Amino acid sequence: MKGIGAVLIDIDGVLTVSWKALPGTVAAMERLRAAGLPLVLVTNTTSRTRAAVAGRLAGEGFPVGVDDILTAPAVTAAYLRAHHPQARCRLINSGDVREDLTGVTLMGEEGPGDEDRDAPEVIVLGGAGDAFGYPALNSAFRDLQRGARLVAMHRNLYWRTADGLDLDTGAFLPGLERAAGVEATVTGKPAAAFFATALAHLGVPAAEALMVGDDIESDVLAAQRCGITGVLVRTGKYLPETHRAADGIPDHVLDSFAELPGLLGLR
């Protein structure tokens, strides 16, 4: 593993499950820190702000701060500011991340019969949950029919919780796209722009970076397509059948993030 100068790390399913540290992950990150290896935590988590994520991880013992966190909502905000400045945006998301959507004009919830008043110009989909009910998705469908643009923070199909796998945005997004005849712009992983933002944050070229994730498509193969070394871990949402059916082969496969220091040759 010569030439690796920085590490990108997914959070959910790699470091934690339901925000509880997985065995050996805190010690592994401490070894990365001791070696002086720059790192950034890259996550499609849409239920918490960057500050909340950093606080929760620090509470589990991880040596990280808010500047080490790059989230899909933060990247989405940058995209909206650049491509849809001052546009009226309707956010459908389970969790409050408005603090990280700085510079974005978010609309409130309208009542029945208000659909044509100050209609949104952009529909922004975050993470799935109770907010992804029929009324919200049908309202978004109608807005898209009237010309609103569709932006999704990610296409993840599911994530791992302490109780098992839960459906995520990717289970609903294709149906909304097909019904409305539109294609969403995806801002989080696996978008190449997301990885480019992470590399710029670290100040290293893709060839000197390594990405660790539990999602073979969105984390690992997407990073490899950007020239980043990919490491798949068999924790979190990892499923052997998904691994076998993937469109590519990870550069490396580990049982857990705890094994990463050994892969990197750190003492």
Side-chain angles (χ1 to χ4, degrees), residues 56-164:
R56 191 63 185 263
L57 292 175
E60 287 292 305
F62 291 100
V64 298
V66 66
D67 290 338
D68 300 313
I69 312 294
L70 180 63
T71 66
V75 174
T76 300
Y79 172 83
L80 291 171
R81 290 193 300 268
H83 297 274
H84 300 286
Q86 300 181 333
R88 297 186 302 276
C89 301
R90 176 172 292 158
L91 175 65
I92 302 176
N93 180 59
S94 292
D96 188 1
V97 292
R98 291 171 181 257
E99 179 182 316
D100 284 346
L101 296 174
T102 54
V104 178
T105 302
L106 295 176
M107 300 177 61
E109 293 297 325
E110 282 75 20
D114 290 342
E115 292 90 346
D116 294 324
R117 187 180 65 193
D118 295 331
E121 298 166 281
V122 182
I123 300 297
V124 182
L125 298 186
D130 292 342
F132 273 60
Y134 180 83
L137 291 176
N138 193 54
S139 177
F141 168 60
R142 291 180 176 179
D143 291 331
L144 293 171
Q145 286 182 303
R146 285 191 288 264
R149 305 296 293 271
L150 180 59
V151 173
M153 294 186 188
H154 60 75
R155 285 187 180 274
N156 292 1
L157 290 169
Y158 47 79
W159 79 95
R160 173 75 64 179
T161 72
D163 299 321

Side-chain angles (χ1 to χ4, degrees), residues 3 6 10 20 23 33 37 40 55 77 90 93 95 126 129 175 192 216 231 238 243 247 252 266:
D10 183 34
K20 295 297 182 182
R33 288 296 200 194
L37 198 61
V40 62
R90 176 172 292 158
N93 180 59
I216 189 170
V231 178
Y238 174 87
H243 187 176
D247 292 333
H252 302 275
L266 303 180

